[in-house]
Amino acid sequence: MKIHYILIFSLLFFAENLAFSQTWEEYAKQEEANYNKFVKEQNDCLDKLRKEYDTYVKQQDKQFSDYLKQEWKNYAVFAGEKAPAKPKPVKVPEYIPPQKPRENWNKIPVKPSPVKIENKPDLPQLSLLPLRKPSTEIKESNASSFDFYGLPVYLEFDAFLQNIPANGNGKQSIATFWDKASATGYSATIDDMLSIKSKLNLNDYGYMMLVRKFSQYLYPSNSNTAELLTWFILVRSGYGARIAYQDNSILLLIPSPDQIYEVSYLALEGVKYYVLSPYDGKNMFTYAKDYSVSCKPFDFNITTPLTFSGKKMAKKVSFTYDEKSYEVQMEYDPDLVNFYKDYPLLELDIYFNAAVSQQAKESLAQSIKPLIAGMNEADAVNFLLNFVQTAFAYKTDPQQFGKEKFFFAEEVFFYPFCDCEDRSVLFSYLVRELIGLKVVGLEYPEHMATAIHFNSDQSGDYLMYKNEKYIVADPTYINAPFGLTMPQYKDVSPQILEINFGKVDLQEQETFWKTAETKSCFRGSNQQNFKELPQGGAIYTGYYTETTQLGTFPFGKKGSGNSCFIAKTNDKGEIVWAYPFVSEANSVGLAVENGKNNQILLAGTFTGKLTFAGKTIQANDQKGDVFIAEFNADGAPQWIQKTGLDSLPADISLVFSVTIAADGSSKVLKYSPATGELIAGGLYHLPGGECVFTGVTTAALATSGASKTITFASEAELSVPEMLKSESDNFIARQTEKSIAGLFAAVRLVKFMGVELSGKFAQQALDRYNPGFKRNCPAIYKNLGKISFLKNSKGIITIITDNGQDIMFDKVKITNKSAIAIAELAGGDYKIDIISGIKVGKMVVWYNLNFIKMIRKNGNLLFDYDTDHTQTTVNVKKDILN
């Protein structure tokens, strides 16, 4: 989806002439002096932090090295679990409508769903803060170049990293490798690899494959050393990977809660460590304790669309529905299909819940959504059902591959045949994505189908799940509409396979916020502001701007800024309890989470004093902080704790994690200098009862209300276009790509100036500096005049449109009262969080825009959109200005 985003997000940051007490020359000199002072102070502070952190990392390295030299244990290797035998019908029946309509429908009894084995209680699901020494320039560098699923990857690395071959394979040799690798300049390379991980949206397994490709490039003829380097990089990236040895082999072990079939494993304290190196022995030696906080298990779920080289292959499929012929063209990524070929065989829920590629997602939406746009939900489901039933040839896995193989959704378009599981995966995706209905899988002993929860009452074979009615829909029962079970399974009880309800959750959220905004209650972030509860209902958080009432719960107002709130709804969307936070200055709810005992956690940002259940916390003067609070399931306040981010430098991007005890009595704050990679952060509940909040300080505190804006008197006039020109020149002087320097200047002004901006003055600026724009882009020029920006004093920027009407810019739709927040990241990059109201797409296909990352040195804009965080990158110079 190529979108002219730059035209929207650069031209809207202009304003009318502003009044200042200085002359232009005095202002420019003052700004340059202030900037130079700021840079020096920031560099001095960063140098101090790096030295302190480097000392800490060296201490941890020494402790781990000493530990590796101790006695290792000999563990038994278990043979990999056999893939489940799932014989399917060799020939599927075709439905022939009876002459007399059926009147009686079966209620299907279901088997209890299998309980998925969870990780050991003390193994967290995230790395709290990976330990690696601060990045510095590599003294002697080499360059690697290798292919990663069609994408050329270039990585610079410390030459010494290529000259530490393992001497032997025992514990002493492994400890020596750790010491030598730790002495190299490895951090810059790992930072680059994590940036690639972010750019490609790689999941944990994809990142492991990237690291292994790099390691094999450095040691093409020494597999043992390549495995050691893979282990070293994964540990330094925060993962709980371990290394083992036996005879002449060095073996890589990865922990995962996911069931991987046909792969040998070790069972260590209740956790399966899968052996990802070639090995057929029965025993191996390894150690029992992870390096520091590097203990993140490997998650094989694909929650975001993977992006490789961007190749597209198209396939057309034809089918007939209701005596009318249709043709659907779908695009898929052939490199992603090759990646799937290397994927191990996993449990079916991984395939049902996997995100599809951007190519597949958008081509399917653009091809099919217009066809069902005028249909009711029943007709739309039958249309999709008939499409999957008849557009693809059927053949079982043993017939096609000689073994069991489960497909990800878009693989159905690549291979010539598919079976019932593959069809169910594709069909469930289409129903969730294009219609927005809940779907579950129905796993019979020898068959797979689905069932759908309709918003309207429908007839057919059905089952009850979580107090909701689901109608059977079988993508393999040829020409059968929903409601019909394949005859041979009519009296068989299936197991229910739960599928992610992301799109349905989004509809519920939009309904809640549409009502809440009429009560002056708004989202506070686009991360975790909603959480569906396992016991039913959901929780929301955000902020309110004036005395109001949400449901039957009054919200008082105190202070000059915003005030945080949290609310719980039941299954019907009704508010069952809500709690406002009394804030002296400003507070905004950022994230919610639920714990294993049904308790509810809330994270928010604040300045000044904040009162909760009779307890008052306070952020340090003129600084923002993040708080964590806990409620029980009934909404009774339990405890509140500030994280202590106000003790850190306010203007420096630091990666942080704060862990709070289960009873809120204590906290542990850890931090390190941030790298350029994008870290989403968030609120998590740990299996041991603690909670943790992670992120980057400048992003976490963007809406705290602590930012100081520049203020001026009103004696002399200063032209904002001239001001933008000066700031742009300053960015260019600081090695910012010229094509994006103006946008950085505009964002800096709107972030720090605290002024009210109008699109009409953007037109005046264009007339003055780019008179050809009005002629070349008349629609955009006209719509600019319909938008005003209002930046409040607390970090949230609201977009006001004329008469409250939606404004269209090419493939971007901006609604009245859309809200954004801006944060400066490490290296001077900017992140624009879209809190609400901005979508991307065209025709009937629209997605919420989540954020934009502006990359200073290369002029790229990374756009993240939709619930699955699809990403696309646009280069200002190459893709927009040319």
Side-chain angles (χ1 to χ4, degrees):
M1 181 184 294
K2 184 176 179 182
I3 304 172
H4 298 157
Y5 300 100
I6 185 69
L7 297 176
I8 290 83
F9 291 99
S10 60
L11 298 178
L12 296 180
F13 289 103
F14 290 90
E16 189 177 17
N17 290 354
L18 303 177
F20 296 91
S21 59
Q22 309 104 310
T23 64
W24 169 252
E25 290 78 11
E26 289 173 341
Y27 164 76
K29 289 179 181 178
Q30 176 185 309
E31 279 293 278
E32 185 65 23
N34 288 340
Y35 179 78
N36 291 336
K37 180 181 177 183
F38 167 76
V39 169
K40 184 179 184 307
E41 292 174 348
Q42 190 178 54
N43 288 338
D44 290 345
C45 185
L46 276 173
D47 287 342
K48 183 175 180 292
L49 285 171
R50 287 193 183 100
K51 289 177 182 178
E52 293 174 351
Y53 193 71
D54 188 49
T55 300
Y56 174 69
V57 172
K58 287 178 179 177
Q59 291 172 349
Q60 296 298 309
D61 288 355
K62 176 67 166 54
Q63 291 177 13
F64 190 58
S65 176
D66 292 343
Y67 170 71
L68 290 175
K69 294 169 186 174
Q70 297 172 8
E71 190 67 35
W72 289 28
K73 293 182 180 181
N74 193 8
Y75 292 89
V77 178
F78 295 91
E81 300 285 346
K82 295 294 183 183
K86 295 182 179 296
K88 301 149 186 107
V90 175
K91 185 177 181 180
V92 295
E94 182 172 349
Y95 173 70
I96 299 175
Q99 293 181 351
K100 183 179 180 181
R102 182 177 173 182
E103 296 179 356
N104 299 318
W105 303 100
N106 296 329
K107 180 178 180 182
I108 302 171
V110 295
K111 295 178 181 179
S113 298
V115 178
K116 192 172 182 179
I117 298 174
E118 298 295 337
N119 261 322
K120 63 180 182 180
D122 59 344
L123 184 63
Q125 296 300 304
L126 70 161
S127 176
L128 302 189
L129 202 64
L131 285 185
R132 55 183 180 270
K133 58 188 179 185
S135 294
T136 56
E137 289 188 12
I138 300 173
K139 294 181 180 179
E140 185 176 337
S141 67
N142 283 343
S144 65
S145 174
F146 56 90
D147 177 86
F148 186 67
Y149 296 103
L151 179 73
V153 174
Y154 305 94
L155 286 169
E156 288 192 8
F157 61 92
D158 189 331
F160 293 102
L161 204 59
Q162 200 172 14
N163 293 291
I164 46 174
N167 296 316
N169 63 342
K171 59 185 179 182
Q172 184 63 47
S173 175
I174 293 172
T176 299
F177 182 91
W178 173 268
D179 292 339
K180 290 184 176 180
S182 297
T184 66
Y186 63 84
S187 290
T189 302
I190 294 179
D191 289 344
D192 289 343
M193 295 182 82
L194 288 169
S195 293
I196 293 173
K197 177 180 184 294
S198 176
K199 177 183 177 182
L200 304 185
N201 263 341
L202 296 179
N203 67 347
D204 296 338
Y205 182 75
Y207 182 64
M208 188 278 294
M209 295 291 284
L210 175 67
V211 172
R212 178 169 269 177
K213 286 271 189 181
F214 171 73
S215 301
Q216 291 171 345
Y217 177 90
L218 266 59
Y219 294 96
S221 58
N222 191 331
S223 60
N224 280 347
T225 307
E227 292 295 70
L228 281 170
L229 182 57
T230 301
W231 161 71
F232 176 83
I233 294 175
L234 290 175
V235 170
R236 291 296 189 185
S237 301
Y239 290 95
R242 295 187 187 177
I243 206 74
Y245 69 88
Q246 182 66 42
D247 299 328
N248 297 318
S249 300
I250 296 288
L251 309 159
L252 179 68
L253 310 177
I254 66 165
S256 179
D258 299 314
Q259 176 64 62
I260 308 176
Y261 295 111
E262 311 292 348
V263 177
S264 301
Y265 65 90
L266 275 63
L268 306 179
E269 299 181 18
V271 178
K272 287 184 177 180
Y273 282 76
Y274 291 94
V275 184
L276 292 195
S277 306
Y279 184 69
D280 57 5
K282 296 183 178 180
N283 295 82
M284 63 180 62
F285 289 89
T286 191
Y287 53 92
K289 186 174 71 175
D290 289 314
Y291 169 71
S292 187
V293 294
S294 294
C295 51
K296 183 180 186 294
F298 285 73
D299 184 357
F300 282 81
N301 284 283
I302 301 175
T303 58
T304 58
L306 280 70
T307 306
F308 294 113
S309 64
K311 293 178 187 174
K312 295 180 180 179
M313 291 193 70
K315 183 174 181 177
K316 290 183 179 179
V317 293
S318 302
F319 68 106
T320 300
Y321 175 71
D322 197 21
E323 300 182 350
K324 183 178 179 181
S325 296
Y326 294 90
E327 188 175 72
V328 170
Q329 176 164 314
M330 180 265 195
E331 295 176 341
Y332 62 90
D333 184 346
D335 295 321
L336 181 57
V337 173
N338 289 329
F339 175 75
Y340 289 152
K341 290 177 181 178
D342 292 334
Y343 223 68
L345 189 65
L346 298 143
E347 295 174 293
L348 274 168
D349 65 306
I350 300 287
Y351 301 86
F352 273 95
N353 290 309
V356 305
S357 69
Q358 178 189 5
Q359 296 95 314
K361 169 184 176 175
E362 294 180 1
S363 64
L364 283 170
Q366 291 166 11
S367 294
I368 298 178
K369 204 158 188 178
L371 301 178
I372 62 175
M375 298 181 184
N376 60 43
E377 62 182 17
D379 290 340
V381 167
N382 275 332
F383 181 89
L384 296 180
L385 192 59
N386 185 264
F387 164 58
V388 178
Q389 288 169 346
T390 61
F392 307 98
Y394 178 87
K395 188 175 283 189
T396 66
D397 290 334
Q399 289 175 320
Q400 184 172 192
F401 302 106
K403 62 178 182 179
E404 191 68 60
K405 174 178 170 56
F406 305 148
F407 283 180
F408 291 96
E410 59 199 283
E411 287 186 284
V412 174
F413 290 84
F414 175 77
Y415 291 101
F417 306 101
C418 57
D419 65 12
C420 56
E421 290 143 355
D422 312 325
R423 291 163 178 249
S424 295
V425 167
L426 175 60
F427 175 70
S428 69
Y429 168 78
L430 294 174
V431 171
R432 288 175 291 145
E433 180 74 15
L434 302 182
I435 307 178
L437 298 178
K438 295 180 182 179
V439 187
V440 296
L442 300 182
E443 189 172 2
Y444 297 90
E446 299 177 351
H447 183 53
M448 175 65 72
T450 68
I452 300 172
H453 173 63
F454 289 88
N455 293 318
S456 56
D457 188 38
Q458 303 293 335
S459 299
D461 293 340
Y462 71 97
L463 56 97
M464 297 302 296
Y465 180 63
K466 292 186 176 180
N467 298 318
E468 292 180 324
K469 183 179 180 181
Y470 284 77
I471 308 292
V472 171
D474 194 328
T476 311
Y477 190 8
I478 307 302
N479 291 325
F482 67 79
L484 294 173
T485 305
M486 195 178 287
Q488 58 265 52
Y489 302 105
K490 182 178 179 181
D491 299 318
V492 180
S493 298
Q495 286 183 331
I496 290 180
L497 191 152
E498 186 167 299
I499 304 174
N500 184 282
F501 296 153
K503 286 292 182 182
V504 183
D505 291 344
L506 180 62
Q507 292 176 357
E508 294 175 358
Q509 293 175 56
E510 296 294 343
T511 299
F512 173 87
W513 288 115
K514 184 177 181 179
T515 301
E517 287 173 5
T518 65
K519 306 295 183 180
S520 300
C521 297
F522 305 95
R523 294 177 178 91
S525 75
N526 59 16
Q527 302 277 340
Q528 287 183 262
N529 58 51
F530 159 89
K531 181 65 183 287
E532 187 176 18
L533 299 173
Q535 65 271 28
I539 42 178
Y540 297 83
T541 190
Y543 68 95
Y544 63 99
T545 56
E546 58 188 50
T547 301
T548 186
Q549 180 172 303
L550 194 59
T552 60
F553 301 91
F555 287 1
K557 190 73 177 69
K558 181 181 180 182
S560 58
N562 305 309
S563 292
C564 170
F565 79 90
I566 183 173
K568 179 181 178 182
T569 61
N570 58 20
D571 289 335
K572 298 179 181 179
E574 301 164 335
I575 298 172
V576 295
W577 60 259
Y579 190 96
F581 283 69
V582 179
S583 53
E584 178 189 67
N586 189 72
S587 63
V588 174
L590 299 178
V592 285
E593 182 60 279
N594 64 289
K596 64 179 181 179
N597 296 321
N598 295 328
Q599 72 269 39
I600 293 169
L601 299 168
L602 164 69
T605 183
F606 75 106
T607 51
K609 292 181 180 180
L610 186 66
T611 301
F612 176 81
K615 180 179 178 181
T616 298
I617 58 175
Q618 182 168 359
N620 291 339
D621 187 42
Q622 301 297 320
K623 298 185 75 173
D625 200 352
V626 167
F627 70 87
I628 311 291
E630 182 182 282
F631 298 80
N632 67 17
D634 296 323
Q638 303 298 298
W639 51 260
I640 191 168
Q641 177 71 262
K642 59 179 289 188
T643 61
L645 295 186
D646 57 349
S647 66
L648 304 179
D651 299 319
I652 297 178
S653 293
L654 301 174
V655 178
F656 73 89
S657 73
V658 57
T659 304
I660 298 178
D663 61 358
S665 60
S666 62
K667 66 174 181 287
V668 176
L669 173 63
K670 295 183 179 180
Y671 56 91
S672 69
T675 61
E677 78 235 28
L678 187 61
I679 299 173
L683 178 64
Y684 303 88
H685 180 265
L686 303 185
E690 307 93 341
C691 66
V692 62
F693 188 73
T694 68
V696 176
T697 52
T698 49
L701 298 172
T703 58
S704 66
S707 299
K708 297 179 181 179
T709 57
I710 303 171
T711 57
F712 299 91
S714 56
E715 296 176 2
E717 288 192 349
L718 178 65
S719 168
V720 168
E722 289 180 359
M723 195 173 183
L724 282 166
K725 178 65 166 60
S726 175
E727 293 294 342
S728 178
D729 290 344
N730 287 336
F731 272 104
I732 293 172
R734 300 164 200 157
Q735 299 182 325
T736 301
E737 162 60 38
K738 290 182 179 180
S739 60
I740 204 172
L743 181 55
F744 269 87
V747 172
R748 183 175 185 274
L749 292 184
V750 79
K751 170 69 176 176
F752 296 107
M753 295 298 288
V755 297
E756 190 170 325
L757 305 172
S758 171
K760 292 182 179 179
F761 302 117
Q763 292 176 325
Q764 295 177 7
L766 286 169
D767 292 342
R768 178 176 177 181
Y769 291 105
N770 187 5
F773 184 87
K774 182 177 181 179
R775 178 180 65 255
N776 296 329
C777 305
I780 294 178
Y781 180 90
K782 179 180 178 181
N783 282 332
L784 279 173
K786 299 179 181 179
I787 291 184
S788 295
F789 267 78
L790 174 63
K791 179 186 182 301
N792 69 17
S793 61
K794 305 301 178 183
I796 295 175
I797 302 162
T798 304
I799 306 172
I800 307 297
T801 67
D802 284 358
N803 301 318
Q805 299 297 310
D806 291 351
I807 304 297
M808 298 290 297
F809 288 92
D810 192 24
K811 298 180 179 69
V812 175
K813 182 194 299 183
I814 301 175
T815 60
N816 188 43
K817 296 183 180 180
S818 298
I820 64 176
I822 299 170
E824 184 173 4
L825 303 176
D829 295 339
Y830 283 159
K831 183 186 178 195
I832 302 175
D833 273 314
I834 313 302
I835 297 175
S836 65
I838 301 179
K839 297 178 182 290
V840 296
K842 64 180 181 180
M843 294 175 64
V844 295
V845 182
W846 291 97
Y847 307 105
N848 286 337
L849 184 59
N850 300 320
F851 67 80
I852 306 165
K853 184 182 179 185
M854 301 167 48
I855 305 173
R856 185 172 61 85
K857 290 189 176 181
N858 61 15
N860 281 346
L861 296 173
L862 184 150
F863 295 89
D864 182 289
Y865 55 94
D866 202 13
T867 55
D868 61 4
H869 292 277
T870 301
Q871 293 187 347
T872 187
T873 298
V874 176
N875 184 270
V876 175
K877 183 177 182 180
K878 295 178 181 178
D879 299 325
I880 297 173
L881 298 183
N882 285 342

